[in-house]
Amino acid sequence: MDLQEYLKSVESLVDKSLFRYFGDAPGKLDKASAHLLLAGGKRLRPAMVMLAAEAVQKGSSDRIFPAALALELTHTFTLVHDDIMDHDSLRRGVPTVHTVWDEATAILAGDVLYARAFELICKAEADPSSKVRAISMLAKACEEICSGQSDDMAFETQDEVTRGEYLDMVRKKTGALYAAAAGIGAILGGGSPQQAEALHNLGMTTGIAFQIQDDLIDLLTPKDESGKDRASDLRAGKKTLIAIVAEEKGIDLAPYKRDLSDNEIDAIIKELHDAGVVDEVRQIALDLVHKAKAGLSVLPESEEKQLIIEMVEFFVTRGF
C-alpha cells in the first residue's frame, strides 16, 4: 500500500467513526462541536498514531484506534479556538463554528471536543500504566499548544521576532500534537521507551516542518484548493517564518496587514519568490524532516516504518 492509499483508508475509517459518534448531534452545542469535525480533513494525526503503533507492534492499531480519534478531536478543538482568535471565516471549505453560531458557543464547542478526546483515549485497549503515560502525554501537549498559541498572538505586537522564537512557538503550537500522536501510538502499541522517545521526537520535529509548510500554503495556495482564507497570516500581520526571513532580506510585510486584493497578494508572492524567501523557508522545513528521519533507526524495518518516512516527507511537499 502506498502512502496516499493508506491515508485515504485512514481518512475513510476516521470519517465513518466520527459520523457514528457525532453525526446525530441533537442540540445546539453538540451540533456546533460536530460541525468542523465532520467537515472532513486529512486526518494525519490519527494516521500517525496508527502507523506508530504498527511500527512497534504489528496488529496493534485496531485496539488503540480510539486514541487515534482522540488526537483528531484534540486537533479540531484547537482549530475551533484558533479560528475565533484569528477571526477566520472559512475552514475546510465550510464556515467556521463561530460564524455559524457565535463566539461563546464556539468556545464551548471546542471545550466539548477537548473533554471527549480524553474520554476516547481512555477507551484504547492497553495496560493501565501505558494509558496513564499516554493520557499524561496528551495533557502536556494540550498545555504546550495553549502556550504556543499565546506566543503566536504575542508576536503580533512585538516589533521583532527571531527565528529561534518562532521555531520554539511552532514547536509548542504544532509540533507538540504531532509528537503526542507518534508517542501515544508507540506507547499504547507496546513499544519500548527508546522507540516511544524516537517517535515522539520525530513527531515534534516534523510537526514544526508541517507548520512551516502550512504557512507557505496559507500564502501560496488559492482558497478553492486549501479551503482556507488566502494569505490570512499576511493580512493578520503574523510573524511567520516567511515574514522573519523576508525582513532579514529587507522586505517589510507590515504594510500588508489589511484587506488585500488578489492582485496585491500575487504581487507580494512574486517579490518573495524573487528575493529567495520562499525557497529558503521551504529548505528549512526540508532540513527538519531529514533530521527527523535519521532517528528512526531504533525501529525494525517494516512497511509501516517506510510509510512514516513517506508521511513526514509528504508534510513538506503537500500543496494543501
Side-chain angles (χ1 to χ4, degrees), residues 19-317:
F19 188 81
R20 187 167 65 248
Y21 285 125
F22 300 97
D24 295 323
K28 173 184 174 181
L29 182 57
D30 285 333
K31 289 183 185 299
S33 301
H35 175 71
L36 189 57
L37 196 62
L38 300 181
K42 294 178 286 291
R43 315 304 191 191
L44 295 176
R45 290 155 191 84
M48 182 68 84
V49 174
M50 296 170 71
L51 281 174
E54 290 289 327
V56 299
Q57 188 173 114
K58 195 79 171 176
S60 61
S61 61
D62 286 348
R63 63 178 174 80
I64 63 103
F65 181 66
L69 294 180
L71 267 292
E72 187 65 20
L73 264 66
T74 304
H75 173 53
T76 307
F77 124 72
T78 68
L79 298 181
V80 172
H81 285 183
D82 280 2
D83 287 340
I84 297 168
M85 289 179 269
D86 295 342
H87 308 291
D88 284 337
S89 60
L90 195 69
R91 171 78 71 174
R92 293 176 176 169
V94 301
T96 49
V97 177
H98 69 278
T99 59
V100 175
W101 287 273
D102 52 61
E103 288 191 4
T105 301
I107 292 168
L108 292 171
D111 292 345
V112 168
L113 292 171
Y114 172 82
R116 289 182 179 173
F118 283 92
E119 180 183 8
L120 276 168
I121 198 171
C122 290
K123 293 181 179 180
E125 295 178 19
D127 67 84
S129 63
S130 294
K131 278 192 181 183
V132 170
R133 288 170 59 206
I135 292 167
S136 176
M137 184 174 285
L138 183 58
K140 181 62 177 176
C142 289
E143 179 187 352
E144 291 271 76
I145 291 166
C146 292
S147 177
Q149 177 66 6
S150 177
D151 290 345
D152 194 17
M153 293 171 64
F155 287 172
E156 294 179 24
T157 58
Q158 287 182 216
D159 291 334
E160 186 176 330
V161 176
T162 67
R163 289 192 189 200
E165 288 173 328
Y166 170 85
L167 292 172
D168 185 58
M169 177 275 290
V170 171
R171 176 189 64 78
K172 294 183 285 187
K173 184 177 176 180
T174 305
L177 195 57
Y178 273 113
I184 287 169
I187 290 168
L188 296 178
S192 68
Q194 292 80 10
Q195 290 172 332
E197 182 180 6
L199 282 160
H200 184 273
N201 289 341
L202 172 126
M204 182 69 76
T205 305
T206 56
I208 297 169
F210 182 95
Q211 183 60 54
I212 294 171
Q213 182 67 10
D214 229 32
D215 293 344
L216 287 167
I217 290 168
D218 178 88
L219 179 67
L220 303 174
T221 305
K223 180 192 291 189
D224 58 353
E225 293 180 32
S226 70
K228 303 176 184 178
D229 291 327
R230 187 183 182 209
S232 63
D233 290 343
L234 179 65
R235 290 183 280 105
K238 287 204 165 189
K239 302 293 197 301
T240 63
L241 190 58
I242 299 167
I244 293 167
V245 174
E247 187 174 355
E248 291 171 355
K249 294 180 180 293
I251 300 172
D252 183 12
L253 297 183
Y256 296 93
K257 186 180 179 181
R258 54 183 172 83
D259 288 335
L260 298 167
S261 69
D262 285 341
N263 287 339
E264 287 176 313
I265 295 171
D266 289 340
I268 189 60
I269 288 173
K270 183 179 186 305
E271 185 177 358
L272 292 170
H273 269 297
D274 291 347
V277 172
V278 173
D279 286 342
E280 183 169 341
V281 170
R282 185 169 282 132
Q283 189 59 52
I284 292 169
L286 290 169
D287 290 345
L288 285 166
V289 167
H290 178 74
K291 176 184 176 183
K293 290 188 296 183
L296 292 182
S297 59
V298 296
L299 296 179
E301 294 303 319
S302 67
E303 181 183 10
E304 289 75 21
K305 178 180 176 178
Q306 184 58 39
L307 285 172
I308 290 172
I309 291 171
E310 292 176 17
M311 184 175 176
V312 298
E313 290 172 347
F314 168 70
F315 282 5
V316 290
T317 57

